[in-house]
Amino acid sequence: MTTRRIRAALVASVALLVGLLSTTTTTTTTAATATTPRTAHTATAGTTGTTAQTLTWTAGDPIDRYPTFPATAVAGRTTIVFENSRATGNTTGMPHTLTFDVSDPEYNNDVPLNILANPADDLGGRHTAEVTLTPGRYRFFCTIPGHGAMQGILTVTGNPGGDTAPPVTDARVDGDRNADGAYVGQATVTVSATDDGSGVDRIEYATGTDGPWRAYTAPVVVTTVGQHTVRHRATDRAGNTAAAKSVAFTVAPPPVDDTTPPQTSATVTGQQDAQGRYLDTATVTVSASDTGSGVNTIEYAFGADGAWQPYTAPVAVARLGPHTVRYRATDRAGNASAAASVEFTVVATPAPDREPPVTAAEVTGVLNSDGAYVTSARVTVGATDTGGSGVARTEYSLNGGPYLEYTAALTVDRVGFHTVLHRASDHAGNTSAARRTTFTVAEGGGVPAPGCPEWDERLTVIVGTVDSGVPNRMTRSRCTVNELIEDEKAWSSHALFLRHVDRVLDRLLADGVIDAREHGVVYGAGRRSGIGRPGQNAGYRSLFDGSTSSFNRWQHVGGGSFALNADGTMTSGTTRGGLGMLWFPQQRFGDFSLRLQWRDDAPGATNANSGVFVRFPAPHDHPEEPRPEWVAIKYGHEIQILDRPDGDLYKTGSVYGFDRVGLGGAGVTPKGTWNDYEIRVVGQSYSVFRNGVLINQFENTGGQEFVPPRAGDPGTDGRRYATGFLGLQVHGTGDVVSYRNIRIQEW
């Protein structure tokens, strides 16, 4: 009893599985058969037909193999037999499938065969299907879960007998017909083909007696009123093509009350020149619409008396010269529109434009006796193009900055020598070589910097003490990148400073002043600078900002003189000769960073001699010294300013009397050029930077306690004060040096 129950349960389970698989397979096969054209390869279970060969697969109790199956076959119509019955060794009622793989591109996938068989089905487990095999390999397998080992390969070769018979084609015309046999409104042409050899490969059709052949994929619907001929033919897989056949019929207009002709329009397209003429070819596209019976035909004609021709596709006109194309349309009720026309001209494409534009710059403003522009200069750039394509873009670069698009005249109001490079590109992609325009802006009645937060013309972007190496370019606002960074401002936190730097760099990136890499490099320099961190950056404060009030805070001792200029600078040695000093008596300074700009304005080829005094006592507190200007020399340190190539051994950046710097190491700049100077003093260590470059480091080995100097050379002692005053030296007649923007940061 137990064995019978288990067997009955197994049979019930298998029957349920068979039912599910049968339903799925039947649905798939039916769908494939219903949507596949008659000439396509088909596989229909349970049917037979006249074929060239029969191939048989068997299945039984094993789930790892088909007991018998073919390994080879020839191409052509084939009957597939799949039997899974008691006669083939199935004693358990186990279902199996014979399925051809159509998903693996390694094998043929043109036979969607999927047969489910079991001894208890309606056909007793024996099924047949008619298919057309093509040369190649087919993979077959069983889809029942757990039966994956039941698989194999069928290799198909070409039919050795050869297929020389072409397919047989037929065409049928359907639609509503009137008493004269014409199809009313439209006719539908259905083409079919059969081939008993290698099988149909393709069907084609053509309209009219000389229309082009097109692939037939669906019934052809003809709506144009009039007589028609549709030709058809087919080709099999062996390359045999049937002779063309044809079917003729007439389409009559539908019975509608339509008296309104179609609406027509035309467009002309193609590449045009500046005068609107078409280069080489113009394409005329005609369209028509009709809300009544519908458009039947569209026609076009060339010129005023050219013959009308059927319009079936856009018309390309390549003949050079002026053209008129007329067009009209007729609807299916016989209403014809009035002829309309389009006019255009076709010309040959001109020779390529290989000549770049030519640029020119004009500098205007008020000139002084030296030929310099007072206060500001206005630069106007123009460009012309003789190559024919026209100017597309004009650009300029100011003082080595990035090229920016020129849109309006450029105003330059920084005092000094300037270079403007200008170039232009045309629409053909030619870019001219940059041309150079130079000029000088002289001091006038205003502050030369155009509202920049700081004054910093060093060659590279330096944040705090970190040199990024990125060029310190001029921006569109006429401020340098360094000036916009504002690293001398008193920032309340490092994060706030970095947020400011990031915003500045974002604007410069969008404006094309820097690229993405330089954005990251400068931002990294800002991170390393530590500006804004507690105890690291209290900000710079001004000791001289160009105003009269700030100049009056300084005092003069000794010979020579300093004069305040209208442009916010002060100059030494212009009215009185002799050795002297302008000093800042308001405060003593200990550790600090002192920054200023200086310029050698000595007349002719002479180089001016000057210097910056640091950490000296009050000049009038030493009655034993009859010349108070010497107090700074004897008891403080002088950071030298002197670019002369000969004479005095102490050049720019030297600590006078203690530490020499050769002319090469000082980084000489041309006369009349502003130099950025930073003197950094910590304890008895002195560092001197010129234009952002460290040119000298000096360690005062004598300690910090003051010892009166010995007689003779005032620079032999080596020990100086730990705090003191600041001053500027006037050396003598002709030693003309200008200073500006003096500020200090205390540590």
Side-chain angles (χ1 to χ4, degrees):
M1 289 295 291
T2 302
T3 302
R4 290 180 182 174
R5 289 178 184 151
I6 294 175
R7 189 181 187 109
L10 177 60
V11 171
S13 300
V14 171
L16 177 60
L17 178 59
V18 170
L20 293 173
L21 290 174
S22 297
T23 301
T24 303
T25 304
T26 301
T27 302
T28 302
T29 303
T30 302
T33 304
T35 58
T36 304
R38 289 170 51 192
T39 55
H41 304 296
T42 61
T44 306
T47 62
T48 60
T50 302
T51 56
Q53 63 186 334
T54 300
L55 304 177
T56 303
W57 279 258
T58 65
D61 289 341
I63 62 173
D64 60 348
R65 66 187 182 281
Y66 293 98
T68 61
F69 60 88
T72 60
V74 295
R77 297 294 295 273
T78 303
T79 297
I80 301 291
V81 177
F82 177 45
E83 185 172 356
N84 177 28
S85 65
R86 288 187 177 277
T88 59
N90 191 324
T91 63
T92 63
M94 178 69 69
H96 295 286
T97 74
L98 174 63
T99 305
F100 276 27
D101 188 352
V102 293
S103 62
D104 191 335
E106 183 179 348
Y107 304 101
N108 291 5
N109 56 20
D110 55 349
V111 177
L113 183 70
N114 187 23
I115 302 175
L116 171 67
N118 66 78
D121 63 30
D122 294 342
L123 298 178
R126 189 178 190 277
H127 297 256
T128 62
E130 289 186 6
V131 300
T132 299
L133 301 178
T134 57
R137 298 192 305 159
Y138 293 88
R139 175 179 175 268
F140 56 87
F141 62 98
C142 179
T143 62
I144 302 296
H147 297 191
M150 296 179 66
Q151 57 178 293
I153 304 297
L154 174 66
T155 301
V156 178
T157 59
N159 193 329
D163 178 6
T164 59
V168 177
T169 62
D170 187 25
R172 185 180 76 252
V173 183
D174 297 309
D176 296 330
R177 306 176 76 176
N178 61 19
D180 297 327
Y183 292 87
V184 180
Q186 67 178 36
T188 301
V189 182
T190 303
V191 183
S192 62
T194 59
D195 188 81
D196 291 334
S198 58
V200 175
D201 181 58
R202 64 184 182 276
I203 302 175
E204 298 170 293
Y205 78 97
T207 56
T209 58
D210 56 358
W213 289 101
R214 299 182 176 91
Y216 175 85
T217 58
V220 180
V221 179
V222 180
T223 61
T224 304
V225 174
Q227 295 181 341
H228 299 278
T229 298
V230 174
R231 294 173 290 139
H232 53 91
R233 67 185 183 186
T235 303
D236 62 19
R237 293 181 179 276
N240 304 303
T241 301
K245 296 180 180 180
S246 64
V247 58
F249 55 93
T250 300
V251 176
V256 294
D257 185 13
D258 180 7
T259 60
T260 303
Q263 298 290 322
T264 59
S265 64
T267 58
V268 184
T269 57
Q271 185 178 358
Q272 295 177 272
D273 62 14
Q275 289 75 42
R277 301 173 299 183
Y278 291 87
L279 302 179
D280 298 329
T281 302
T283 300
V284 182
T285 303
V286 182
S287 60
S289 62
D290 188 84
T291 58
S293 57
V295 176
N296 191 48
T297 60
I298 303 176
E299 298 173 292
Y300 74 98
F302 288 109
D305 54 1
W308 290 101
Q309 306 175 54
Y311 175 86
T312 58
V315 180
V317 181
R319 183 169 58 86
L320 303 183
H323 296 277
T324 299
V325 173
R326 295 175 292 134
Y327 54 93
R328 67 185 182 186
T330 304
D331 63 19
R332 300 173 70 192
N335 302 303
S337 66
S341 64
V342 290
E343 296 181 355
F344 54 91
T345 300
V346 178
V347 297
T349 299
D353 178 6
R354 305 187 187 281
E355 293 295 325
V358 176
T359 61
E362 180 185 14
V363 185
T364 57
V366 178
L367 291 170
N368 63 16
S369 58
D370 296 326
Y373 293 89
V374 179
T375 304
S376 66
R378 181 181 176 87
V379 184
T380 304
V381 181
T384 57
D385 185 69
T386 60
S389 61
V391 176
R393 179 184 177 92
T394 304
E395 299 173 300
Y396 73 93
S397 168
L398 175 62
N399 296 333
Y403 275 97
L404 303 173
E405 184 175 7
Y406 176 84
T407 57
L410 175 68
T411 299
V412 181
D413 53 7
R414 282 180 176 266
V415 173
F417 182 78
H418 297 281
T419 299
V420 174
L421 301 178
H422 42 92
R423 65 187 184 187
S425 301
D426 59 22
H427 289 285
N430 303 303
T431 300
S432 63
R435 302 183 71 177
R436 181 188 305 270
T437 298
T438 60
F439 56 92
T440 300
V441 175
E443 299 166 354
V447 178
C452 302
E454 296 176 357
W455 191 285
D456 195 331
E457 295 178 335
R458 288 174 291 177
L459 297 179
T460 56
V461 179
I462 301 173
V463 187
T465 61
V466 181
D467 189 347
S468 69
V470 174
N472 184 28
R473 303 184 181 103
M474 188 71 65
T475 69
R476 194 182 294 274
S477 66
R478 305 196 306 278
C479 299
T480 67
V481 177
N482 266 337
E483 291 167 342
L484 298 177
I485 293 295
E486 295 186 81
D487 60 351
E488 295 182 6
K489 180 179 176 180
W491 294 94
S492 59
S493 72
H494 185 56
L496 185 63
F497 172 70
L498 289 180
R499 189 178 306 117
H500 160 75
V501 171
D502 193 42
R503 289 172 179 169
V504 169
L505 296 177
D506 284 346
R507 291 195 300 269
L508 298 180
L509 178 63
D511 206 25
V513 176
I514 61 174
D515 57 29
R517 182 196 67 82
E518 292 170 333
H519 184 298
V521 171
V522 175
Y523 186 79
R527 291 180 63 91
R528 296 194 303 276
S529 72
I531 291 175
R533 289 179 179 149
Q536 182 157 346
N537 183 1
Y540 284 80
R541 62 186 177 91
S542 177
L543 303 183
F544 171 69
D545 61 9
S547 65
T548 302
S549 59
S550 66
F551 181 71
N552 290 337
R553 298 176 68 192
W554 295 68
Q555 292 183 10
H556 190 86
V557 293
S561 65
F562 280 83
L564 177 65
N565 304 312
D567 66 349
T569 64
M570 58 178 168
T571 305
S572 67
T574 57
T575 60
R576 185 162 61 98
L579 180 67
M581 175 181 68
L582 185 72
W583 67 294
F584 189 78
Q586 309 297 325
Q587 181 182 345
R588 293 175 180 267
F589 298 99
D591 295 344
F592 55 84
S593 167
L594 176 68
R595 298 189 64 173
L596 53 86
Q597 276 91 39
W598 61 267
R599 184 177 66 192
D600 184 343
D601 288 335
T606 304
N607 289 97
N609 187 342
S610 184
V612 180
F613 293 116
V614 297
R615 279 188 176 175
F616 58 88
H620 305 293
D621 290 346
H622 293 268
E624 75 282 359
E625 178 56 63
R627 299 177 60 186
E629 67 272 19
W630 276 91
V631 172
I633 298 175
K634 291 184 177 182
Y635 301 104
H637 279 309
E638 178 190 356
I639 311 302
Q640 183 79 330
I641 294 175
L642 177 62
D643 279 354
R644 195 172 68 192
D646 56 3
D648 198 323
L649 296 179
Y650 288 98
K651 306 303 181 186
T652 300
S654 299
V655 180
Y656 189 79
F658 292 88
D659 187 29
R660 295 185 177 94
V661 175
L663 188 63
V668 177
T669 58
K671 282 173 57 63
T673 301
W674 283 107
N675 290 264
D676 187 273
Y677 223 24
E678 181 183 4
I679 302 168
R680 199 175 300 167
V681 181
V682 180
Q684 290 297 317
S685 296
Y686 293 75
S687 301
V688 183
F689 295 81
R690 176 175 180 165
N691 297 323
V693 178
L694 178 65
I695 60 174
N696 192 17
Q697 283 186 301
F698 167 65
E699 187 72 27
N700 203 8
T701 57
Q704 296 184 359
E705 295 299 324
F706 170 71
V707 176
R710 295 189 296 269
D713 185 353
T716 58
D717 183 76
R719 285 177 285 181
R720 289 295 188 264
Y721 286 100
T723 64
F725 295 97
L726 305 175
L728 305 174
Q729 184 189 60
V730 52
H731 195 271
T733 304
D735 290 308
V736 181
V737 178
S738 295
Y739 294 90
R740 70 183 181 189
N741 198 22
I742 304 174
R743 65 265 191 216
I744 193 167
Q745 180 188 80
E746 296 181 79
W747 292 334

